[in-house]
Amino acid sequence: MHNGVHKEATAVSNSIKTILSDLETRNSGQPEFLQAVREVLTSLEPVVERFPKYSEMKVLERFVEPERVIMFRVSWVDDDGEIQVNRGYRVQMNSAIGPYKGGLRFHPSVYLGLLKFLAFEQVFKNSLTTLPMGGAKGGSDFDPKGKSDGEVRRFCQGFMTELYRHIGQFTDVPAGDIGVGSREIGFLFGQYKRIANQFTGVITGKGINWGGSEIRPEATGYGVVYFAEEMLATRSEDLAGKRCLVSGSGNVAQYTVEKLIDLGAKPLTLSDSDGFILDPDGIDADKLAYVLELKNLRRGRISEYAERFPRASFTSAGHGASNPLWSVPADCAFPSATQNEVSGVDAQNLVANGVQLVAEGANMPTTPEGVERLMSAKVLYGPGKAANAGGVAVSGLEMTQDIEHLSWTREQVDDRLRHIMRAIHTNVRAAAEEYDRPGDYVLGANIAGFVKVADAMLEQSTV
Ligand code: NDP
Ligand code: 2IT
């Protein structure tokens, strides 16, 4: 390497190390946020070396600090008449390329660091969609599991009674995530409308008769499978006949399975936090209809699948360093439950059992050790911020339809979703090639997502 270039590389690498160590000091106790930032900043080294303007203008330092964090109390009354208190949040990370956009998560594990990681990832993902959306995430440590409809409604109304003043169709547009589905979106939107006295597209994932978009419920799962098809096509392969592992059994998992069935693949598994089911005959359309009814209407547990279909088995979740779901022999894997659900050992098991492709429906489901193992084994690895961007992309299309007061057909939205997933795939691969790392979807997604937002920040000056 030329001496000057080498010096520049070392200086950049040192300055990124300094940013990371400052960040660790200032955000100790937020391991998921630090994990997400570490991966991204490390892969941005070559772009920062090539364009000193990013260091000079302190773009990385600005990227890792949310523009605004809102934390608030949510008090509500449970079915026994007791007052309950939860914590609500909205992390407004970056608005350089559009209004803040990102989901709401209701889960007992929610705390500021988790939402900062999700909001940080969202900035890159939204940039990749080709649509004008900034990044945000919010939610609460409220646990919807086991709560009555009335309790969920009262919680959602309390949550929105504070959140409404911080959001708006041109300011910040929330949507669903873990624990926030169509029921919760309805309660949240209804309360927003009541307080603001305005019917606007302030939330996405709305019902089809009140401003929602066709294909939004399906979009994340369909998009992941479209992205997987694109990845396989680079090796002249397709999904027909492929045995697929899917984790989770919520929104993303359900529509991943639906699209896999459509394309002739054989989905074998689903899971929830209690464990996983393995159906050696494959989950077909009728069995999937049962899962949708079980999870979305009865709010039951996935273990019931094995009671209903006796050829399937249920395995309880262990607490060790590995999840037996990822040891099932298969061709492709679609982690679609939660962060850090694929450990280094799990990744090793996937590779040992023949998996050639991992496309992430969940956000950051693979640990850094896991990513390292998959990439060194030359598995086609599609990180969440690229592979699962279809959900927020169709949210962006919902925003456009709301503003124009019209609705596109299923075919129109699905067609746009396919085009967007193809464009993301092309752009991510092009960025990886431009930086001499062909086929590296992690580097490609981080760089392609970064450049657009970073240049917007530079053009908008010191914000
Ligand atoms: P849902 O709430 O619909 O489903 C979540 C599923 O994951 C459930 O089966 C749940 O099981 C399981 N799960 C959640 N937390 C854990 C945990 N700690 N351990 C084991 N299993 C767990 O959420 P979604 O399907 O919407 O979200 C799944 C993932 O996809 C998340 O990472 C989310 O951020 C990501 N995502 C979602 C998008 C969307 O549009 N909804 C878009 C892009 C990404 P249980 O019922 O036992 O909790
Ligand atoms: O992680 C995600 O991209 C989502 N939960 C969807 C966000 C959105 O605004 O549709």
Side-chain angles (χ1 to χ4, degrees), residues 189-203:
F189 181 78
Q191 184 70 353
Y192 179 88
K193 184 166 59 64
R194 178 149 76 155
I195 301 172
N197 194 29
Q198 271 184 0
F199 194 115
T200 64
V202 68
I203 298 182

Side-chain angles (χ1 to χ4, degrees), residues 225-244 259-260 262-266 330-334 356-357 380 418:
V225 177
Y226 295 153
F227 196 83
E229 272 190 302
E230 296 293 324
M231 290 199 290
L232 285 169
T234 65
R235 294 188 182 169
S236 307
E237 296 235 28
D238 62 30
L239 280 161
K242 295 270 191 307
R243 297 161 303 162
C244 298
K259 188 50 74 179
L260 287 172
D262 274 4
L263 296 177
K266 190 176 180 188
D331 305 299
C332 303
F334 297 86
Q356 314 158 22
L357 170 140
L380 285 166
R418 263 175 212 270

Side-chain angles (χ1 to χ4, degrees), residues 50 63 99 120 189 196 255 302 328 332 349 387 391 394 442:
R50 197 177 289 182
F63 247 85
F120 181 76
F189 181 78
Y255 290 103
I302 202 64
V328 175
C332 303
N349 291 335
V394 174
V442 173

Side-chain angles (χ1 to χ4, degrees), residues 48 50-59 62 455 458:
V48 178
R50 197 177 289 182
F51 300 105
K53 61 185 176 181
Y54 297 130
S55 314
E56 285 158 21
M57 298 302 285
K58 300 276 195 296
V59 172
R62 288 192 260 161
D455 288 347
L458 291 181

Side-chain angles (χ1 to χ4, degrees), residues 43-154:
S43 50
L44 292 179
E45 269 182 34
V47 78
V48 178
E49 270 162 34
R50 197 177 289 182
F51 300 105
K53 61 185 176 181
Y54 297 130
S55 314
E56 285 158 21
M57 298 302 285
K58 300 276 195 296
V59 172
L60 298 185
E61 288 88 337
R62 288 192 260 161
F63 247 85
V64 299
E65 198 59 35
E67 288 179 13
R68 186 180 298 111
V69 172
I70 299 144
M71 278 178 64
F72 52 94
R73 180 177 70 215
V74 183
S75 318
W76 56 281
V77 179
D78 70 17
D79 285 348
D80 297 327
E82 291 279 331
I83 294 175
Q84 299 289 338
V85 180
N86 286 97
R87 202 172 270 181
Y89 305 85
R90 187 72 178 165
V91 178
Q92 297 177 332
M93 200 71 179
N94 193 306
S95 62
I97 63 166
Y100 304 111
K101 181 82 195 87
L104 297 171
R105 179 177 292 192
F106 293 168
H107 192 271
S109 62
V110 164
Y111 76 106
L112 182 59
L114 197 75
L115 296 176
K116 279 174 66 182
F117 124 61
L118 290 162
F120 181 76
E121 291 276 298
Q122 199 80 45
V123 172
F124 295 83
K125 185 196 300 192
N126 293 5
S127 167
L128 288 171
T129 63
T130 72
L131 304 174
M133 297 182 287
K137 203 85 185 190
S140 175
D141 57 2
F142 174 74
D143 185 359
K145 228 176 272 165
K147 302 284 194 301
S148 69
D149 277 356
E151 289 176 321
V152 171
R153 172 172 48 78
R154 291 191 292 280

